[in-house]
Structures are given as C-alpha cells and as structure tokens.
C-alpha cells in the first residue's frame, strides 16, 4: 500500500474523518530501524474531504481499539509543545506543517504523487518535488 493511500485509510479508520492526500511533507530515513533494517517515516499532508463533510473540522469518531483520543488542535500551539520544540521529529512536523499552510495558500510545495504503469504494467507511485512531474 502506498504512503498516501495508507494515510487516508488510517485517518478514516481511526477517526472517521474522510481526507484527501495533498502531498508528502517530509520523510525520515534510517538504516538502523527495527531488526536492523532501513526504515522510512513519512508525514503526509492531508485535507478534509469537503464532499464528505459539511464541516471543515468534523468531530472525530474514535476507533477505540487503535487510539485513545483525537481532537483538532491549533497548529501553532501543537508545534510549540515541548516534544516538538527541537529534534528530528519536531523538524519533520514543523516542515510538514509549513508545507501544508503554504499549499493552502496556493503554493506548489511538498512532494506530489503520480501513478504510472511500472514493470510488468503494474501501477506504481512516483513522488516528485513541487511542480509538475515530467510524465
């Protein structure tokens, strides 16, 4: 399952919120992940699907077996929490938040996605830097 499809599905399953993938905001790569493997951690920038929700901030409906709480938070307040004030994960979140805010203003930033046929004619995702992909 591709990054963007997994993010949209997980948000829906765990909160009941229908979302649309906008772009990848940031990716962390390590080669000392679980079991000594390479591990990628990606942050997807999503927006609420206005066709499915009349409210731009729909009330989350929790999947209690997966999460204990969900709420809409002020972005500045969230990013100023001590856990995100510095360090790698704070940088990932601040970078992704900045990309999300800039996209809302109409800027073409972040890593977009194009689906194309790859080896054997199987659809594959290509993620690309801001602007149009050279398809």
């Amino acid at each position: 399952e591709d990054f963007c499809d997994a993010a949209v599905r997980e948000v829906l399953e765990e909160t009941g919120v229908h979302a649309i993938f906008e772009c990848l905001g940031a990716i962390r790569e390590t080669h000392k992940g679980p079991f000594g493997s390479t591990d990628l951690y990606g942050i997807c920038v999503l927006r609420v699907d206005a066709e499915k929700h009349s409210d731009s901030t729909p009330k989350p409906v929790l999947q209690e077996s997966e999460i204990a709480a969900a709420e809409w938070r002020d972005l500045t307040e969230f990013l100023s929490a001590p856990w995100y004030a510095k360090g790698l994960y704070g940088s990932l979140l601040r970078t992704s938040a900045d990309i999300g805010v800039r996209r809302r203003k109409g800027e073409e930033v972040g890593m977009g996605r194009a689906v194309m046929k790859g080896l054997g004619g199987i659809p594959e995702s290509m993620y690309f830097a801001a602007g149009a992909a050279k398809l």
Side-chain angles (χ1 to χ4, degrees):
E1 184 175 36
D2 292 343
F3 279 122
C4 55
D5 298 329
V8 168
R9 178 185 51 75
E10 287 289 333
V11 167
L12 178 59
E13 287 177 2
E14 295 183 10
T15 69
V17 174
H18 293 268
I20 296 172
F21 175 82
E22 285 282 322
C23 67
L24 278 169
I27 297 175
R28 185 271 291 139
E29 178 181 35
T30 181
H31 300 291
K32 298 189 188 244
F35 311 105
S37 64
T38 294
D39 184 59
L40 297 174
Y41 178 90
I43 296 180
C44 294
V45 176
L46 307 177
R47 65 179 159 83
V48 172
D49 186 342
E51 291 185 12
K52 306 276 175 128
H53 298 286
S54 58
D55 185 354
S56 64
T57 54
K59 183 173 174 28
V61 178
L62 302 183
Q63 181 184 20
E64 293 179 6
S65 63
E66 290 288 326
I67 59 174
E71 65 183 355
W72 296 100
R73 305 262 320 267
D74 175 77
L75 185 58
T76 303
E77 177 186 316
F78 172 75
L79 293 173
S80 66
W83 307 281
Y84 310 127
K86 59 182 179 178
L88 175 62
Y89 290 93
S91 292
L92 287 164
L93 289 168
R94 287 189 308 277
T95 298
S96 297
D98 179 66
I99 287 170
V101 168
R102 290 169 59 195
R103 282 187 74 89
R104 248 187 123 155
K105 293 176 181 175
E107 289 185 52
E108 286 289 324
V109 294
M111 293 179 63
R113 174 192 187 208
V115 178
M116 302 176 65
K117 288 186 181 178
L119 298 173
I122 298 169
E124 297 181 16
S125 291
M126 176 181 82
Y127 294 93
F128 54 91
K134 307 297 182 211
L135 305 178

